[in-house]
Amino acid sequence: MKKAFYILGGAVLIYLVMGINKAFAKPTKTGSVRNSDAFGCGCFGASRGNREHNGLDFLAKPNEQIFSPISGKVTRFPFPYGDDLRWKGIEIKNSEYSIKIFYVNATVNIGQEVKKGDFIATAQNIASKYGTGMQNHIHFEVRDKNNNIIDPTNLF
């Protein structure tokens, strides 16, 4: 019994230490990923017709606070749709990663340094563009220092 207690306690400690050292902070309070809806799945690599989803979608209510997943510098405010500038994004870079978060209204400025976990934006209501068949969410993309898109699923 005592041996099992020590093994279980050690396993819990390892789990907690591994969780503390994750590369990214969750960009939303819950960190819940968008499940399948009428427009597809929010998982990285999900089918988007003739292409794959290059990001990870996190459920977010309109005006919900969004947090920086990394420490770095705000470099620009990209637009996910060139023909509809109502929908906005934020890009943050550091020496290892470049991240983009779409469907947000930034609360920070270009050139500003942010720390992992800082409040950086509020979520837009993307469901208003696509209708009730789409769960409201933010879209999250990650590139490495060589500009290769990477799956962020296990970085949180």
Side-chain angles (χ1 to χ4, degrees), residues 52-100:
E52 290 184 348
H53 188 230
N54 285 333
L56 189 61
D57 294 342
F58 289 91
L59 293 175
K61 295 176 183 155
N63 298 312
E64 181 177 336
Q65 289 187 338
I66 305 303
F67 306 99
S68 182
I70 61 172
S71 295
K73 183 182 275 190
V74 177
T75 54
R76 66 188 185 110
F77 300 133
F79 297 93
Y81 309 110
D83 62 343
D84 190 346
L85 301 182
R86 294 177 299 161
W87 309 105
K88 301 170 189 152
I90 186 170
E91 181 180 72
I92 301 170
K93 291 184 177 184
N94 64 24
S95 62
E96 294 182 66
Y97 300 106
S98 170
I99 63 115
K100 289 181 193 172

Side-chain angles (χ1 to χ4, degrees), residues 99-110:
I99 63 115
K100 289 181 193 172
I101 304 174
F102 290 121
Y103 316 134
V104 297
N105 291 312
T107 58
V108 292
N109 298 310
I110 293 174

Side-chain angles (χ1 to χ4, degrees), residues 123-144:
Q124 293 182 297
N125 184 8
I126 191 63
S128 70
K129 178 176 177 69
Y130 291 101
T132 58
M134 180 178 281
Q135 296 171 304
N136 207 70
H137 65 278
I138 59 167
H139 174 84
F140 181 81
E141 288 182 6
V142 181
R143 293 186 181 270
D144 65 17

